[in-house]
Amino acid sequence: MFISIRNRLIFLLIAFTLLPLVVLRIVAYPKMQSDVERELVRNLQGVESKQEDLIRTWMRERQKDARVIGDSPVILKSLKITKKDADYASILLYLNRLISEYGYKEIFLCNSNGLVTISTMEIMVGGDVSQKNYFTEATRGKTFVSEVHPADIPLINENGEKEMGVPTMFVSAPVKDESGIINGVIVLRLDINTLSDMVVKVELGTTGEAYLVNREGYMITESRFAETLREMGVVEKRCSLELKVVEPGTDVLTYGVAQCIAGTDGFDARGYKDYSGVTVLGVWRWMPDFNWGLITEIDKDEGYGVVYNLQYVVNAILLFLAFPIIIAAVLIARQFTTACALDEEKKK
């Protein structure tokens, strides 16, 4: 009988001593994980929203520049200018000043037939761009933003060297006369590095990053970890237009990118594999104005670091306390049953 009482007492002492910690592990921990998950997603969405606003503001300014410059009487006059004209040098100087002021790669003008009449890059002068979408769309009266694509002329790359195929893009606008008739088009060649720098500079802990992708799932801005990717041989020169954001060893787009280019905005707080094979938490949104997808991700281990640390602490406390509690419960129960046995003997 005393053995049965002792065992029950041991069980009750252990149960009531460890119960608060067990409840913390089973009930409080999942609740905290859920709270951290919501807060993390909210923070990622907040960062991405700010990034989107920054990108849209920068692009609106570039479109406004094209319209304002295109409305200048000097630009209208330049649609028919040739190198033989006395004003050619002064207009070229004006365009170069605009490049220096606004940070463009190139500014050029083309007449209604699509022939380039003047450009800050001499190689473009006399060229026919009548089949380019930035020309055809502008002749319809639109301020047009092209996709990021490889340049078909040598451009100065990020290392200060001339290179074919450097990622480039254009903003174009119609040039109209006083009666509103379109006489030609002004084209601004943007510096992709400026756009990339805006996106890469986002601060998201040690492993977080943001990047833009096109409709095919290729990065059009640089990865924060571009140098590491070059060292690994994943990309040769740069991530922009080289790195397709797929799961390693496959041609399958990562979950976040696939969802994004499908035209949906959303998030994944459970985790999916990124282009380096690491499980990440991500949010994404599609920007139909430019056919760009904005992806913001952080490694799952870093994102849920607080929750994981709590889990380790609670488990460690349980293991640390369990052994001495069991010993103490056994000793207390033994003393109790021994005392009960002595009392029973005295009664006899």
Side-chain angles (χ1 to χ4, degrees), residues 97-163:
R97 284 177 178 171
L98 291 176
I99 282 181
S100 177
E101 183 70 24
Y102 295 111
Y104 293 111
K105 281 281 191 179
E106 177 192 12
I107 299 177
F108 63 90
L109 302 168
C110 39
N111 61 26
S112 57
N113 295 320
L115 295 179
V116 178
T117 57
I118 188 169
S119 171
T120 54
M121 289 185 179
E122 188 174 355
I123 191 175
M124 290 291 292
V125 178
D128 184 355
V129 298
S130 59
Q131 301 303 311
K132 302 292 187 181
N133 57 1
Y134 57 77
F135 174 79
T136 57
E137 293 298 319
T139 56
R140 297 189 179 103
K142 299 179 182 178
T143 302
F144 180 73
V145 178
S146 77
E147 294 185 0
V148 178
H149 60 277
D152 53 10
I153 63 169
L155 295 179
I156 301 297
N157 63 18
E158 57 271 23
N159 299 317
E161 304 167 344
K162 278 194 173 184
E163 179 189 337

Side-chain angles (χ1 to χ4, degrees), residues 30 80 85:
K80 297 180 180 180
D85 294 320

Side-chain angles (χ1 to χ4, degrees), residues 76-320:
L76 179 62
K77 179 182 178 181
S78 304
L79 295 176
K80 297 180 180 180
I81 202 169
T82 67
K83 290 183 178 180
K84 296 178 181 180
D85 294 320
D87 293 338
Y88 188 90
S90 60
I91 294 174
L92 186 59
L93 179 62
Y94 168 67
L95 295 179
N96 277 303
R97 284 177 178 171
L98 291 176
I99 282 181
S100 177
E101 183 70 24
Y102 295 111
Y104 293 111
K105 281 281 191 179
E106 177 192 12
I107 299 177
F108 63 90
L109 302 168
C110 39
N111 61 26
S112 57
N113 295 320
L115 295 179
V116 178
T117 57
I118 188 169
S119 171
T120 54
M121 289 185 179
E122 188 174 355
I123 191 175
M124 290 291 292
V125 178
D128 184 355
V129 298
S130 59
Q131 301 303 311
K132 302 292 187 181
N133 57 1
Y134 57 77
F135 174 79
T136 57
E137 293 298 319
T139 56
R140 297 189 179 103
K142 299 179 182 178
T143 302
F144 180 73
V145 178
S146 77
E147 294 185 0
V148 178
H149 60 277
D152 53 10
I153 63 169
L155 295 179
I156 301 297
N157 63 18
E158 57 271 23
N159 299 317
E161 304 167 344
K162 278 194 173 184
E163 179 189 337
M164 285 289 292
V166 174
T168 190
M169 67 178 296
F170 300 99
V171 173
S172 60
V175 178
K176 303 176 182 178
D177 60 21
E178 295 179 356
S179 60
I181 298 174
I182 296 174
N183 282 233
V185 171
I186 182 167
V187 184
L188 313 179
R189 188 190 295 269
L190 274 56
D191 188 347
I192 298 300
N193 291 327
T194 304
L195 176 64
S196 189
D197 288 344
M198 283 192 300
V199 179
V200 172
K201 284 180 181 177
V202 61
E203 295 184 4
L204 276 173
T206 305
T207 61
E209 68 168 335
Y211 54 88
L212 290 171
V213 295
N214 62 17
R215 288 179 295 183
E216 287 73 42
Y218 283 92
M219 275 194 189
I220 56 175
T221 54
E222 285 302 295
S223 166
R224 177 182 174 184
F225 309 105
E227 186 61 37
T228 301
L229 294 171
R230 278 192 291 270
E231 292 174 357
M232 294 171 59
V234 177
V235 297
E236 182 181 352
K237 296 179 179 179
R238 61 187 65 87
C239 296
S240 180
L241 299 182
E242 274 192 49
L243 180 60
K244 191 172 186 179
V245 189
V246 296
E247 296 179 13
T250 74
D251 196 39
V252 179
L253 294 172
T254 63
Y255 179 76
V257 171
Q259 293 295 309
C260 184
I261 65 177
T264 60
D265 300 343
F267 65 89
D268 187 314
R270 297 300 177 183
Y272 58 88
K273 297 292 183 182
D274 71 354
Y275 57 86
S276 61
V278 176
T279 301
V280 297
L281 312 172
V283 299
W284 54 84
R285 62 181 64 191
W286 182 246
M287 302 170 68
D289 318 38
F290 314 116
N291 287 318
W292 295 343
L294 177 59
I295 314 292
T296 307
E297 297 170 334
I298 189 171
D299 286 8
K300 185 177 181 180
D301 287 344
E302 181 179 4
Y304 288 151
V306 174
V307 177
Y308 293 156
N309 289 339
L310 176 64
Q311 181 182 16
Y312 296 147
V313 169
V314 172
N315 289 342
I317 291 174
L318 283 172
L319 291 174
F320 180 77

